[in-house]
Amino acid sequence: MVIIDEFSMVDTLLFFHLLKACSYVQKILIIGDEKQLPSVMSGQVLTDLLQVEGIHSVELKEIFRQKEDSGIIGLAHKMRRNEEIPFQYFEDYHDIHFLHT
């Protein structure tokens, strides 16, 4: 078995080579979030694979990386819905300014 994390970043060429290298592997476990940034190269492999009827998938409904009241979660949902994001500070958000010399 091969386990691949952060699969949303995998493009078609990388997936081709991955499958070619795994010719003797019986199972591949893919972990990714289709709502994250896609690959910078061609193809949205994870999104396409999730459309295939014969591939079993599980969608997690609970966020474990941040606290439930985290500002980053609200911002992420607004970005996914293409909503306007007001400039505001959250308890867990810090804006860092760099001085250029």
Side-chain angles (χ1 to χ4, degrees):
M1 174 183 257
V2 173
I3 301 172
I4 307 161
D5 195 9
E6 296 295 339
F7 197 80
S8 64
M9 298 297 294
V10 173
D11 61 65
T12 52
L13 183 61
L14 180 58
F15 191 54
F16 167 78
H17 288 292
L18 175 70
L19 291 178
K20 191 173 168 186
C22 292
S23 62
Y24 295 105
V25 174
Q26 293 182 0
K27 291 185 181 187
I28 298 176
L29 175 62
I30 295 171
I31 302 169
D33 183 350
E34 68 175 321
K35 296 175 180 105
Q36 285 186 343
L37 292 173
S39 166
V40 294
M41 301 300 284
S42 63
Q44 294 183 335
V45 181
L46 178 60
T47 301
D48 292 342
L49 288 175
L50 288 171
Q51 304 302 312
V52 177
E53 203 170 296
I55 296 178
H56 178 73
S57 66
V58 175
E59 181 180 358
L60 299 179
K61 301 288 185 181
E62 190 173 339
I63 299 171
F64 293 98
R65 288 188 174 180
Q66 292 87 17
K67 296 186 298 183
E68 192 171 322
D69 61 343
S70 172
I72 194 74
I73 295 171
L75 287 173
H77 289 301
K78 284 182 177 290
M79 289 176 72
R80 287 182 188 164
R81 294 188 299 258
N82 262 346
E83 294 179 12
E84 185 175 329
I85 300 172
F87 181 78
Q88 55 185 320
Y89 287 89
F90 296 93
E91 185 179 307
D92 57 347
Y93 170 82
H94 304 283
D95 194 9
I96 301 172
H97 297 277
F98 294 96
L99 298 175
H100 297 278
T101 58

